[in-house]
């Protein structure tokens, strides 16, 4: 089983991530991870912090000579902004002074509930960890998972479907295969959006929101292709692949909704318009579906079709034109604290969502095919693939 932990505050010294259960002998380079970190940092609408950070990973354990050892993989990412926060974020006594203390909770952020729960007087103690900075660590972990999935021909891509109510033309959503060209085009577009006309409108919406001191949310879609039939199970609710994917997506800060395949649309349609007909082709595909409304999962199990997940992100709660709030200490009404933040981080959320989907799929692959080394896992996979092929 694959499991992980992350640690780190937004303006602390570094982020740390530890991944346990990676099979031995998986080729892994820091550059595989750095590339993903860079993808997360881009996107129109990010704020000043992204000009300070240029995320790079240091692999501090679990890898030798370019391959994993089977021991825990430990990764660190330095926060460059730490330079400016050393005093305020120091672990030594004396760090908390009135200067950077936060007492006016932002509506929509963890500030107030977190301060009450952990008995903090300075809400900075909450916002530092609740910050989406932590997602850099999950992207680093996801890069390791992606590296494992690549060994089995599984590929993941994400794109922006909607920002601030502007939606892409549905004809651009019909992505049935992931090509390097598609990936490059998306990675090089300002919002990771396949429809450049809609993208221009989204950028204008971001500009308008920014000018007004406001923020914008949106929807991203994640596609995983090459996933074999049989990951996850109907046998236990918590081992269903959809349970695990939905939980992982909801675990990304600011995500308020998840859909798989047709998602909420299924509630409106007749059964005959929802379920994907089964066909058989003995030359190439064997069993396949004529449509993929199920988003590649039936009964909690992958069915061999691409896995399709969508995530809805709320607008970031740090507003330059703050909403009304109440001071945590004096209880007097005030405007919420103004924190520097992004106007829109939806494209970045897509990259984070790719990472958590990769972690869940890698975990399900390890669960199904097991093995302490990549060699052993591959043998198990090939035996199964041959059995499926000969059905
Ligand atoms: C964030 C606020 C901003 C973002 C940050 C998430 O940081 P700061 O408060 O330093 O301006 O840039 O995101 C990142 C640092 C990142 O790497 O994504 C927040 O309040 O959640």
């Amino acid at each position: 089983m694959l499991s992980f932990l992350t640690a780190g505050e937004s303006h602390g010294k570094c982020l740390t991530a530890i991944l346990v259960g990676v099979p031995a002998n998986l080729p892994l380079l820091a550059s595989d991870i750095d590339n993903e970190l860079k993808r997360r940092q881009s996107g129109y609408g990010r704020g000043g912090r992204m000009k300070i950070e240029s995320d790079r990973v240091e692999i501090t354990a679990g890898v030798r000579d370019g391959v994993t050892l089977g021991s825990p993989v430990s990764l660190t990412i330095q926060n460059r902004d730490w330079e400016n926060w050393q005093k305020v974020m120091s672990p030594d006594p004396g760090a908390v002074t009135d200067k950077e203390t936060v007492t006016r909770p932002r509506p929509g952020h963890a500030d107030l509930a977190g301060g009450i729960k952990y008995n903090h007087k300075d809400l900075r103690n909450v916002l530092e960890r609740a910050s989406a900075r932590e997602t850099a660590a999950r992207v680093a972990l996801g890069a390791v998972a992606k590296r494992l999935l690549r060994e089995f021909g599984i590929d993941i891509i994400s794109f922006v479907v909607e920002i601030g109510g502007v939606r892409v033309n549905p004809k651009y959503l019909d992505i049935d295969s992931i090509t390097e060209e598609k990936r490059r085009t998306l990675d090089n577009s300002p919002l990771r959006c396949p429809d450049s006309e809609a993208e221009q409108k989204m950028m204008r919406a971001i500009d308008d929101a920014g000018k007004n001191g406001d923020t914008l949310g949106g929807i991203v879609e994640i596609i995983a292709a090459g996933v074999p039939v049989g990951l996850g199970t109907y046998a236990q609710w918590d081992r269903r692949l959809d349970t695990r994917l939905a939980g992982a997506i909801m675990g990304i800060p600011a995500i308020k909704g998840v859909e798989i395949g047709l998602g909420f649309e299924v509630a409106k349609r007749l059964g005959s318009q929802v379920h994907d007909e089964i066909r058989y082709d003995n030359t190439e595909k064997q069993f396949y579906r004529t449509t993929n409304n199920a988003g590649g999962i039936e009964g909690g199990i992958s069915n061999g079709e691409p896995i399709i997940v969508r995530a809805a992100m709320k607008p970031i709660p740090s507003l330059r034109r703050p909403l009304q709030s109440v001071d945590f200490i004096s209880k007097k009404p005030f405007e919420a604290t103004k924190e520097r933040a992004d106007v829109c981080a939806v494209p970045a959320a897509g990259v984070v969502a790719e990472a958590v989907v990769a972690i869940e799929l890698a975990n399900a692959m390890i669960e199904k095919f097991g093995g302490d080394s990549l060699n052993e896992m591959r043998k198990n996979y090939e035996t199964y693939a041959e059995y499926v092929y000969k059905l």
Side-chain angles (χ1 to χ4, degrees):
M1 216 192 72
L2 206 55
S3 61
F4 70 86
L5 263 183
T6 73
E9 276 69 47
S10 183
H11 304 96
K13 190 167 187 185
C14 64
L15 296 164
T16 306
I18 299 181
L19 188 59
V20 181
V22 185
N25 298 332
L26 173 72
L28 185 65
L29 303 174
S31 58
D32 296 326
I33 301 170
D34 286 343
N35 184 39
E36 293 297 316
L37 292 174
K38 198 165 166 208
R39 290 177 69 236
R40 192 197 71 96
Q41 284 201 276
S42 61
Y44 192 77
R46 299 301 306 264
R49 179 76 185 270
M50 285 307 107
K51 293 193 182 76
I52 300 173
E53 303 298 341
S54 140
D55 292 337
R56 291 184 83 88
V57 77
E58 190 185 353
I59 302 176
T60 52
V63 180
R64 181 168 179 240
D65 199 22
V67 294
T68 56
L69 299 174
S71 50
V73 174
S74 168
L75 310 171
T76 62
I77 303 161
Q78 300 296 327
N79 290 323
R80 282 192 171 185
D81 212 8
W82 159 249
E83 290 281 313
N84 308 317
W85 291 82
Q86 279 192 50
K87 248 190 132 126
V88 176
M89 292 304 294
S90 167
D92 298 328
V96 179
T97 61
D98 285 347
K99 201 169 147 254
E100 295 294 343
T101 299
V102 176
T103 60
R104 297 173 191 176
R106 290 159 296 172
H109 212 281
D111 300 346
L112 181 57
I116 295 170
K117 177 177 168 67
Y118 287 99
N119 195 8
H120 288 313
K121 296 286 174 271
D122 179 1
L123 302 181
R124 175 157 299 286
N125 290 342
V126 176
L127 70 88
E128 283 290 335
R129 179 63 181 161
S131 162
R133 176 75 186 146
E134 185 271 349
T135 61
R138 269 185 271 177
V139 167
L141 295 164
V144 182
K146 279 186 178 181
R147 189 64 197 80
L148 177 67
L149 295 175
R150 200 177 350 138
E151 294 291 323
F152 299 91
I154 300 173
D155 212 352
I156 300 175
I157 202 169
S158 75
F159 46 88
V160 166
V161 171
E162 189 174 319
I163 285 180
V166 182
R167 206 176 169 86
V168 300
N169 185 320
K171 75 177 179 202
Y172 291 102
L173 295 181
D174 206 9
I175 295 187
D176 51 3
S177 64
I178 300 174
T179 61
E180 269 322 299
E181 198 197 331
K182 260 179 209 158
R183 191 192 303 281
R184 245 195 323 274
T185 312
L186 285 169
D187 279 352
N188 292 332
S189 84
L191 287 174
R192 308 187 45 70
C193 179
D195 174 353
S196 50
E197 216 180 301
E199 189 172 52
Q200 291 298 321
K201 286 189 195 147
M202 290 173 187
M203 285 162 75
R204 280 200 293 276
I206 292 171
D207 289 342
D208 289 346
K211 268 185 224 139
N212 293 326
D214 223 317
T215 56
L216 277 182
I219 298 173
V220 290
E221 180 163 317
I222 305 95
I223 301 181
V227 179
V229 58
L231 300 190
T233 174
Y234 55 85
Q236 296 290 341
W237 71 270
D238 56 345
R239 289 175 61 212
R240 294 175 64 102
L241 193 58
D242 39 11
T243 302
R244 291 147 71 169
L245 288 173
I249 296 278
M250 286 298 284
I252 301 169
I255 300 300
K256 301 304 279 184
V258 188
E259 289 185 323
I260 293 182
L262 270 188
F264 272 56
E265 174 69 23
V266 296
K268 298 188 192 128
R269 297 195 188 183
L270 291 165
S272 56
Q273 298 164 341
V274 168
H275 301 297
D276 308 303
E277 288 196 317
I278 300 170
R279 298 278 192 280
Y280 183 78
D281 167 353
N282 70 355
T283 54
E284 197 201 335
K285 294 180 167 175
Q286 283 102 1
F287 292 103
Y288 69 97
R289 310 296 192 287
T290 49
T291 52
N292 187 17
N293 293 336
I297 302 174
E298 288 171 301
I301 314 176
S302 60
N303 65 7
E305 301 293 332
I307 292 192
I308 300 175
V309 184
R310 270 181 305 281
M313 183 186 196
K314 71 182 181 184
I316 287 162
S318 307
L319 305 179
R320 261 193 308 107
R321 185 185 288 176
L323 293 173
Q324 202 61 37
S325 182
V326 173
D327 190 279
F328 194 44
I329 307 298
S330 73
K331 318 292 186 294
K332 292 209 173 88
F334 276 107
E335 284 187 339
T337 301
K338 284 187 216 174
E339 286 280 326
R340 170 188 64 184
D342 311 319
V343 176
C344 177
V346 174
V351 178
V352 179
E354 285 178 35
V356 302
V357 165
I359 294 168
E360 291 311 313
L361 291 179
N363 195 11
M365 285 288 287
I366 289 169
E367 175 185 280
K368 173 106 181 90
F369 302 110
D372 294 312
S373 67
L374 183 63
N375 326 58
E376 201 178 347
M377 190 173 167
R378 187 174 284 126
K379 268 195 201 128
N380 295 338
Y381 174 86
E382 280 166 4
T383 307
Y384 176 76
E386 199 185 333
Y387 144 76
V388 173
Y389 190 72
K390 288 187 175 157
L391 277 172

